[in-house]
Amino acid sequence: MMPASSESASALQGHLDTWVVIPLYNEASIIGDVVRQLRPVFTNVVCIDDGSSDGSGAVARAAGAHVVTHPINMGQGAALQTGFEYALERNADYVVTFDADGQHRVEDAEIMIGRARDENLAVVYGSRFLDDRTKPGILKKIVLKTAVTVTNWATHTRLTDAHNGLRVIRADALRRIKLKQDRMAHGTEIVVLLGRTGLPYAEQPVEVLYTDYSRAKGQSLLNSVNILIDLVIR
């Protein structure tokens, strides 16, 4: 029998060296499905319940996630930082950041982990603009493209999608960043801080699933405009 490749062996073991970190705020109607889709591939899933009032944390826990609770809503940046520290304390080699609203695909996350391992990359950013699967709408696309232009100018990176919540970050990069921007500005801050590490990175084409639910929960054009305003004023 041929020996299994390192990637195949790791997949069979549930990527035990990897933690999926999910900021969670009032997503009780969908977080159970998100966790259940992840866990056959990624054994370690931690949801940071950021002051939810709808029982999201209990739903995530029942679906098999570890849950860390913020007593009050502190924002997505703060939730990510809490998740990063939780994963590092458990000797994670990689972290996958994953949104709670069902807009990311588990298959994309697994491909990104494989690429980080195979190409010795410290960071793999998901990009919805490297193929034509994602249909963001023309206005949202204009706003996001403007935002990435500003981010690239400010950070000296060359990304096509700087505000995609699906990322893979290796532990050595993770130990060198600490998010201080609690809310939407963390999306730019994390690119800045990871860029300063000088560690190798790449982008991977991913599909963002814009559903009626995800649009209503924060993927609106107004949310994209807020990102852009945040970039400009900072």
Side-chain angles (χ1 to χ4, degrees):
M1 178 181 294
M2 293 291 291
S5 68
S6 59
E7 175 60 19
S8 298
S10 183
L12 290 172
Q13 295 165 11
H15 294 285
L16 294 179
D17 61 348
T18 300
W19 279 83
V20 179
V21 172
I22 305 178
L24 178 61
Y25 179 66
N26 288 345
E27 305 278 11
S29 65
I30 197 167
I31 187 60
D33 287 342
V34 171
V35 171
R36 281 188 288 271
Q37 289 169 10
L38 279 163
R39 292 209 66 238
V41 178
F42 296 100
T43 299
N44 300 318
V45 178
V46 59
C47 294
I48 313 305
D49 184 7
D50 194 27
S52 296
S53 59
D54 66 348
S56 290
V59 175
R61 186 177 291 108
H66 296 241
V67 176
V68 178
T69 302
H70 287 172
I72 60 172
N73 180 245
M74 299 174 66
Q76 193 176 68
L80 281 175
Q81 185 59 44
T82 297
F84 294 164
E85 293 170 4
Y86 184 91
L88 288 174
E89 288 170 0
R90 284 150 185 81
N91 300 315
D93 291 331
Y94 296 94
V95 156
V96 177
T97 64
F98 204 90
D99 285 356
D101 59 6
Q103 70 169 332
H104 294 150
R105 300 169 71 244
V106 178
E107 300 93 320
D108 287 334
E110 190 170 28
I111 290 170
M112 291 165 69
I113 277 286
R115 191 169 175 195
R117 299 185 200 279
D118 294 344
E119 300 179 28
N120 195 28
L121 297 169
V123 187
V124 180
Y125 296 97
S127 173
R128 79 200 87 183
F129 296 123
L130 287 176
D131 61 27
D132 59 1
R133 288 178 294 167
T134 302
K135 310 297 182 186
I138 187 64
L139 290 177
K140 186 178 180 70
K141 186 173 183 178
I142 290 171
V143 171
L144 288 171
K145 284 291 188 181
T146 304
V148 78
T149 298
V150 175
T151 299
N152 284 340
W153 174 78
T155 63
H156 306 292
T157 53
R158 291 292 179 271
L159 299 178
T160 62
D161 187 4
H163 292 87
N164 192 315
L166 182 56
R167 315 173 189 89
V168 169
I169 308 174
R170 202 171 60 194
D172 56 339
L174 208 59
R175 291 190 189 96
R176 294 164 67 175
I177 66 171
K178 184 173 179 59
L179 297 177
K180 296 180 180 178
Q181 301 293 338
D182 292 341
R183 298 191 183 277
M184 295 312 298
H186 81 273
T188 299
E189 183 187 27
I190 196 168
V191 175
V192 172
L193 296 177
L194 289 171
R196 287 176 182 167
T197 68
L199 293 169
Y201 70 90
E203 284 187 295
Q204 175 67 33
V206 301
E207 182 179 11
V208 174
L209 304 172
Y210 291 115
T211 63
D212 291 342
Y213 178 82
S214 68
R215 288 189 179 94
K217 290 296 293 184
Q219 290 302 310
S220 65
L221 178 62
L222 178 60
N223 197 45
S224 302
V225 172
N226 287 337
I227 292 172
L228 185 57
I229 292 172
D230 203 19
L231 282 170
V232 171
I233 65 176
R234 290 174 189 280

